[in-house]
Amino acid sequence: MSSHHLAQINIARLRAPIDSPEVAEFMAALDPINALADASDGFVWRFQTEDGNATAVRPYGDDLIIINFSTWESIEALADYVYRSAHTAFLRRRREWFERMSDVAVAMWWVPAGHRPSVEEAVGRLERLRREGPGPDAFTFRVRYSPDGHPLRADARDDCPV
């Protein structure tokens, strides 16, 4: 068992309010896609409210920005879920429901095994990545680090264009 888990946050800005017909298909798929993550090899934990997802949390003060963050046993486990599961079909369709972000929207970092990041911690890591670029404290699939802070070579299969 590893002494560290990979934490990740991703944010997106909806094209329309969460209860609008324009994003209804995405909202209907949220529970099944979250269940897929929960059942994926290497999944550890995901942030959720009593609704079972994180769509009620608005740390950016914008009702159209939604967040998701979770922990995984490894970068590879997260990449398998993101790029090699039924999640990928929804990722390919993201422009139907979400605006193109002008800044980084995904950050990863290592946490001690069992640690559950807070909203503030997750948002802070994304903001750090935006300010400073990739480093041991906040990185991306393309520029990644080991739990001890050493740069890692990205696996080309994890940079799937979708």
Side-chain angles (χ1 to χ4, degrees):
M1 177 179 220
S2 174
S3 63
H4 288 85
H5 288 151
L6 180 76
Q8 71 80 31
I9 179 173
N10 62 85
I11 68 169
R13 189 164 198 278
L14 293 164
R15 290 189 169 276
I18 208 161
D19 57 355
S20 70
E22 292 88 348
V23 297
E25 187 177 11
F26 168 78
M27 293 305 298
L30 199 53
D31 286 344
I33 291 298
N34 282 337
L36 176 65
D38 295 352
S40 293
D41 287 343
F43 172 83
V44 177
W45 168 87
R46 72 180 163 85
F47 174 75
Q48 57 187 307
T49 65
E50 59 277 352
D51 298 330
N53 60 56
T55 59
V57 177
R58 298 289 191 283
Y60 287 91
D62 181 338
D63 285 344
L64 297 179
I65 295 180
I66 60 174
I67 67 167
N68 173 44
F69 61 98
S70 55
T71 58
W72 296 79
E73 291 178 357
S74 67
I75 295 172
E76 296 77 18
L78 176 59
D80 283 344
Y81 166 71
V82 171
Y83 297 119
R84 288 176 286 287
S85 74
H87 174 269
T88 307
F90 287 91
L91 187 60
R92 285 188 177 115
R93 295 180 59 200
R94 67 187 176 272
R95 299 289 172 249
E96 294 176 35
W97 306 301
F98 300 105
E99 295 177 3
R100 182 174 295 276
M101 298 291 287
S102 61
D103 208 345
V104 177
V106 177
M108 294 181 277
W109 68 101
W110 294 103
V111 298
H115 175 71
R116 305 296 183 250
S118 66
V119 172
E120 295 77 19
E121 177 185 352
V123 168
R125 295 297 177 130
L126 180 58
E127 294 307 314
R128 172 180 265 179
L129 179 61
R130 287 175 167 183
R131 273 190 326 271
E132 301 172 13
D137 294 326
F139 52 91
T140 66
F141 274 121
R142 288 200 171 114
V143 179
R144 51 179 80 172
Y145 289 80
S146 68
D148 59 2
H150 293 100
L152 296 172
R153 184 178 177 285
D155 184 339
R157 70 184 189 136
D158 294 344
D159 291 327
C160 302
V162 290

